[in-house]
Amino acid sequence: MKRSVLIAGTHSGVGKTTVAMGVMAALTKRNMNVQPYKVGPDYIDPTHHTAICGRSSRNLDTFMMGVEGVRRTVENSYKDADISVIEGVMGLYDGMNSTEIASSAHVAKSLDIPVILVVNVHGMSRSTGAIVKGFTEFDKDVNIAGVILNRVGSPRHAQMIKDVLPDIPVVGAVPRNQDVKVPSRHLGLHMAGEQDYDVGKLAEFIEENVDIDAILSLASEPKKPEVEDERCIEDMSEVTIGVARDAAFCFYYEEMFDMFRKCGAKIEFFSPLDGEIPEVDGMYFGGGYPELNIAELEKSRTTKKLKDLSADGMPIYGECGGLQYLCSSYEIEDVVYKMADLFPAETLLTKKLQALGYTHGVAKGKFIKGPVRGHEFHYSLTECDSDSRLIYEMERGKGIMNGKDGITEHNSLASYMHAHPASFPVDSFVEECRKYGRK
């Protein structure tokens, strides 16, 4: 039987990321094959999961993917694993607006799997009982099967809390430990390659303070999908897509790569920071941190070559950081850096958050048509020339300007929206790349 469990928190900052990563590390240390997941549109935590488990972590989001999309992702990526561990997002019941959609609870209900609730008990004892009781009774369709107490002051403190909890097992009492905390970084957390914590020490710490056997006994088989994703193309002739992947471009959904391959495409990763220009039929620039590598990007051979490739008709797609890079310039702290200049637009880095949240756009472009869902998160503004063409009409989200997103030129497209492959027409993009390769 396949076993799954979701580790959620009462709210952001309770330590669920550290606990979830520690549970993954402890299970992996037992030589178990652990498939990790992350609820919500998060690119950073999954890199840690992947590094710990040795398997690509995948995102689960009922707004971007739908209930069936969540079930399909788990079913398709979990086949040879011993257990899957899902890290939640925000508080257990926090979804889009005041709904359950996109919440950890909705994912748990969609998969019909148990939840382990992480509670930060620092500064309280008996009140923990009220909090846990409220969480267990708020939605009886959510199976909160166990509790992990985090930031426990002492064994006596832990026992005081256990004595007042409702009839629910405490599967962990984790003391405060700054040595295993994941540090903050620019606009988020450290990527896995920049970690400065000891995974082995984290596994030992969790093994000492969490009943891993109890978690294994509580885990249950996730619900299977009822409908398959039948998107593909009849023409499966050879096509290669170059994916920019380095310190500047590092935000990608693993499922986007899965869909590329399902549509018959090979993927070749390359580094714009190193000036690489792969011989491919199309290119994809994801989000990331171009602003932290801006001087190197300005000098890059890749930057200087892209405009010609775009004018020749190569399909080039960019998201957020990719959008900023593909504009004509990027201004940071009063210094203007020349970028790839695929689009008649300039980007300005701001100190204030410009957009954060889910997005829903309806596209009317050459190879992108229909509704596309994703999310946006950026501290920049992009100003387009008056004759620029924007193909996304935003039903939700800010986009580039005036309720529109998705600037296009030739066969190139870039947007602030990080599109999820559940709705992004990957098959159409791959087919455009295939057509270009035949020129």
Side-chain angles (χ1 to χ4, degrees), residues 87-104:
E87 180 193 339
V89 63
M90 300 175 66
L92 173 61
Y93 293 110
D94 297 322
M96 190 171 67
N97 299 331
S98 58
T99 73
E100 70 172 6
I101 296 172
S103 68
S104 302

Side-chain angles (χ1 to χ4, degrees), residues 98-403:
S98 58
T99 73
E100 70 172 6
I101 296 172
S103 68
S104 302
H106 199 206
V107 169
K109 288 166 65 175
S110 299
L111 295 170
D112 193 20
I113 60 172
V115 172
I116 304 297
L117 186 67
V118 179
V119 185
N120 181 351
V121 298
H122 176 66
M124 66 177 177
S125 56
R126 191 166 183 259
S127 296
T128 308
I131 292 172
V132 173
K133 183 176 181 180
F135 269 79
T136 55
E137 295 186 356
F138 184 77
D139 185 344
K140 294 295 182 66
D141 291 331
V142 178
N143 175 21
I144 300 180
V147 174
I148 293 177
L149 309 177
N150 194 29
R151 300 191 71 196
V152 172
S154 66
R156 180 173 178 272
H157 182 208
Q159 190 58 52
M160 289 168 59
I161 296 170
K162 292 176 183 178
D163 290 342
V164 300
L165 285 184
D167 187 20
I168 185 169
V170 174
V171 298
V174 182
R176 294 187 290 272
N177 188 336
Q178 293 296 320
D179 292 339
V180 296
K181 185 178 179 182
V182 180
S184 297
R185 70 151 295 159
H186 176 72
L187 303 185
L189 298 174
H190 284 268
M191 300 293 284
E194 305 164 320
Q195 68 186 41
D196 55 3
Y197 58 91
D198 188 321
V199 174
K201 186 181 292 185
L202 175 61
E204 292 176 5
F205 177 67
I206 292 298
E207 187 80 57
E208 291 170 0
N209 297 287
V210 174
D211 189 342
I212 300 298
D213 290 326
I215 291 178
L216 286 170
S217 68
L218 293 171
S220 66
E221 185 172 10
K223 191 170 184 177
K224 296 182 181 298
E226 298 175 2
V227 180
E228 289 301 317
D229 186 347
E230 298 179 350
R231 282 182 298 168
C232 64
I233 2 181
E234 294 181 3
D235 183 357
M236 299 293 278
S237 56
E238 186 173 314
V239 60
T240 304
I241 297 174
V243 176
R245 189 161 71 173
D246 54 22
F249 306 100
C250 48
F251 292 170
Y252 295 100
Y253 291 120
E254 189 67 26
E255 276 200 296
M256 187 70 87
F257 303 151
D258 291 343
M259 283 300 299
F260 282 159
R261 296 182 181 107
K262 182 180 178 182
C263 292
K266 296 179 181 178
I267 296 174
E268 182 174 336
F269 295 107
F270 70 100
S271 170
L273 284 174
D274 291 340
E276 296 174 350
I277 305 171
E279 293 186 7
V280 294
D281 306 308
M283 292 188 183
Y284 173 27
F285 293 83
Y289 301 113
E291 64 272 17
L292 298 183
N293 305 273
I294 197 68
E296 293 88 343
L297 287 175
E298 183 181 47
K299 295 182 292 186
S300 169
R301 178 169 169 260
T302 310
T303 307
K304 295 177 172 59
K305 182 66 175 176
L306 286 175
K307 188 176 180 69
D308 290 339
L309 292 173
S310 177
D312 188 53
M314 174 183 281
I316 298 176
Y317 174 57
E319 296 176 333
C320 200
L323 163 68
Q324 297 159 358
Y325 175 61
L326 298 176
C327 286
S328 61
S329 65
Y330 197 170
E331 182 177 339
I332 301 175
E333 296 182 348
D334 298 324
V335 179
V336 177
Y337 298 88
K338 292 181 179 179
M339 293 288 98
D341 196 25
L342 269 63
F343 307 111
E346 296 79 38
T347 295
L348 169 68
L349 185 67
T350 64
K351 295 181 179 180
K352 180 181 177 182
L353 180 65
Q354 298 299 323
L356 171 63
Y358 286 108
T359 54
H360 181 195
V362 178
K364 299 177 181 178
K366 183 176 180 182
F367 59 83
I368 308 293
K369 292 182 175 66
V372 178
R373 291 189 173 192
H375 76 284
E376 58 186 0
F377 173 44
H378 56 93
Y379 281 79
S380 67
L381 292 171
T382 295
E383 296 183 356
C384 306
D385 288 0
S386 59
D387 59 348
S388 297
R389 184 172 176 231
L390 301 172
I391 67 165
Y392 283 123
E393 293 285 347
M394 302 304 292
E395 296 187 359
R396 179 185 177 90
K398 187 175 180 180
I400 293 175
M401 58 184 292
N402 301 327

Side-chain angles (χ1 to χ4, degrees), residues 421-437:
S423 58
F424 184 81
V426 180
D427 49 352
S428 296
F429 177 68
V430 172
E431 184 58 24
E432 286 298 315
C433 295
R434 182 174 281 113
K435 289 176 183 177
Y436 176 77

